[in-house]
Amino acid sequence: MRSVVSRLPVRYAETDRMGVVHHAVYPVYFEVGRTDFFDTHFMHYDEMERLGLFAAVIEYDCALKGRATYGDVLVVETRGEWMRGIRLHMGYTCRRERDGGLVAQGSSTLALVDSAGRPIHPRHFPDLYRTLLGLFDPGDQGAP
Amino acid sequence: MRSVVSRLPVRYAETDRMGVVHHAVYPVYFEVGRTDFFDTHFMHYDEMERLGLFAAVIEYDCALKGRATYGDVLVVETRGEWMRGIRLHMGYTCRRERDGGLVAQGSSTLALVDSAGRPIHPRHFPDLYRTLLGLFDPGDQGAP
Amino acid sequence: MRSVVSRLPVRYAETDRMGVVHHAVYPVYFEVGRTDFFDTHFMHYDEMERLGLFAAVIEYDCALKGRATYGDVLVVETRGEWMRGIRLHMGYTCRRERDGGLVAQGSSTLALVDSAGRPIHPRHFPDLYRTLLGLFDPGDQGAP
Amino acid sequence: MRSVVSRLPVRYAETDRMGVVHHAVYPVYFEVGRTDFFDTHFMHYDEMERLGLFAAVIEYDCALKGRATYGDVLVVETRGEWMRGIRLHMGYTCRRERDGGLVAQGSSTLALVDSAGRPIHPRHFPDLYRTLLGLFDPGDQGAP
């Protein structure tokens, strides 16, 4: 399974008055991880969009496992978990850099769509599709 | 089951360059729904915090079902789904006001903790606990 | 001078670990005020965009004058201060609803542009331009 | 004058439906620049807070000069412009990395306060104060 690691210093604006990173920030961190994943293993997602290929998040989840705040640097591991048809599933693990402590885990399912949000059939981008498919597990396991 | 409805005009800053509300904004909308839920059926969450009772999100999920953008008003229904021990589970349905179209669904699990994030035992706030419990289903069904 | 008042309960996600609304949230509040201003006195800004008329922020400032946090409801007054050529200048005053305490003041200058961000000449939208102009002071005073 | 340079890839969530970085994101970028400035020339701001020394933003401004979007990497230069009493003034210039194009300029004034937001007199932290002062121009010029 392909993966990539992103390094994210927590921003002050990302904390809330509980003193920790607000829970709704993690999907943003995961999106940064996804950018790095595509950029490393495929092409920059901005380039994908310019080719008319959009990956829209259709569902996601996040579990908070530990504390992170301003002053912490977070390390997000992003994994390409499975791909089936035009759906991709990616997993994320977020740890504190200083002690490796687990902070959050999550996943997201994305659908390949055009700029208007309509599903794109793989036959409209056969070469890119084959390359993308090679980055993911076939989806026989783990996919719902 | 107790529920409450919140009305949220989409803010321009909440859209992204796909032209729609960014997916990470929904947990923020759900949090507004939660504020309205507690304020209507219990007390303002700010008051809960002043009493030393914090409800920390420990996991959540979100499924995107339709399009919402600036110019839309969203209507979020927040439901108290179950409570077991110090865990509460809440559900959210987000629709466009103009046509009732489903936009997003989600849920979150919260844990009752003190200001340092440590679990609080119900015996430390017996009356509030009993009142809270009355707002939720007992948790025999639906709870993992 | 035309003005409008918007009512904004502070969201938990908008606070930071200092315990108050993060300073970068105020331009978002001001943008909500602007939406209400155009919607009340002209047309919904979403409609303006559909007509090809965009108002891009080209500069803004904000002064923090008091404390606001979750639990507070903020009241933003938005004023159309002056308009000159394709530039509009708007002012904002943000107060706590409960005691009228001043929280923040700010202003922003916007330029009327097309969807690609290029300046639009008033002759391309003469009727709308005249209507817009009527909402603002002529700009002889106060404009730099 | 002391300065520091920060490198910030634009996040997808930071764009809006105009297709560019939303204007309210720049104060967040400037805050990241400030973190890097203090970390490089003084100490991490998180450490300052642990010593009871908070730098609260009391006013700021931002001028948008060019286009930035997802796919761009931004380079923010942060400068310590002047310090007078317990007020610090910092300046920011934000450029695109690929072509050096100017994107935004801004400044912010901060006040040294305690955890409750009350002004702190320099005599309560004489050594830190002297060190901080050495990072800034004396404030005879440029200060209002």
Side-chain angles (χ1 to χ4, degrees), chain B residues 8-9 11-14 25 28-29 31-32 34-35 44-46 49 54 69-72, chain C residues 8-9 11-14 25 28-29 31-32 34-35 44-46 49 54 69-72:
Chain B
L8 291 159
R11 297 176 178 181
Y12 203 92
E14 293 166 348
V25 177
V28 176
Y29 292 161
E31 186 174 69
V32 172
R34 221 149 55 225
T35 290
H44 196 284
Y45 179 69
D46 176 53
E49 285 201 348
F54 295 74
T69 188
Y70 178 74
D72 286 320
Chain C
L8 291 159
R11 299 175 178 182
Y12 204 93
E14 293 165 349
V25 177
V28 176
Y29 292 161
E31 186 174 69
V32 172
R34 223 149 55 225
T35 290
H44 196 284
Y45 179 69
D46 176 53
E49 284 201 349
F54 295 73
T69 188
Y70 178 73
D72 285 320

Side-chain angles (χ1 to χ4, degrees), chain A residues 8 11-14 28 31-32 35 44-46 49 70-71, chain D residues 8 11-14 28 31-32 35 44-46 49 70-71:
Chain A
L8 291 159
R11 298 175 178 182
Y12 204 92
E14 293 165 348
V28 176
E31 186 174 69
V32 172
T35 291
H44 196 285
Y45 179 70
D46 176 54
E49 285 202 349
Y70 177 74
Chain D
L8 290 160
R11 298 175 177 183
Y12 203 92
E14 292 165 350
V28 176
E31 187 175 68
V32 172
T35 290
H44 196 285
Y45 179 69
D46 176 53
E49 284 201 349
Y70 178 74

Side-chain angles (χ1 to χ4, degrees), chain A residues 2 7 15:
Chain A
R2 305 295 175 100
R7 193 177 178 276
T15 61

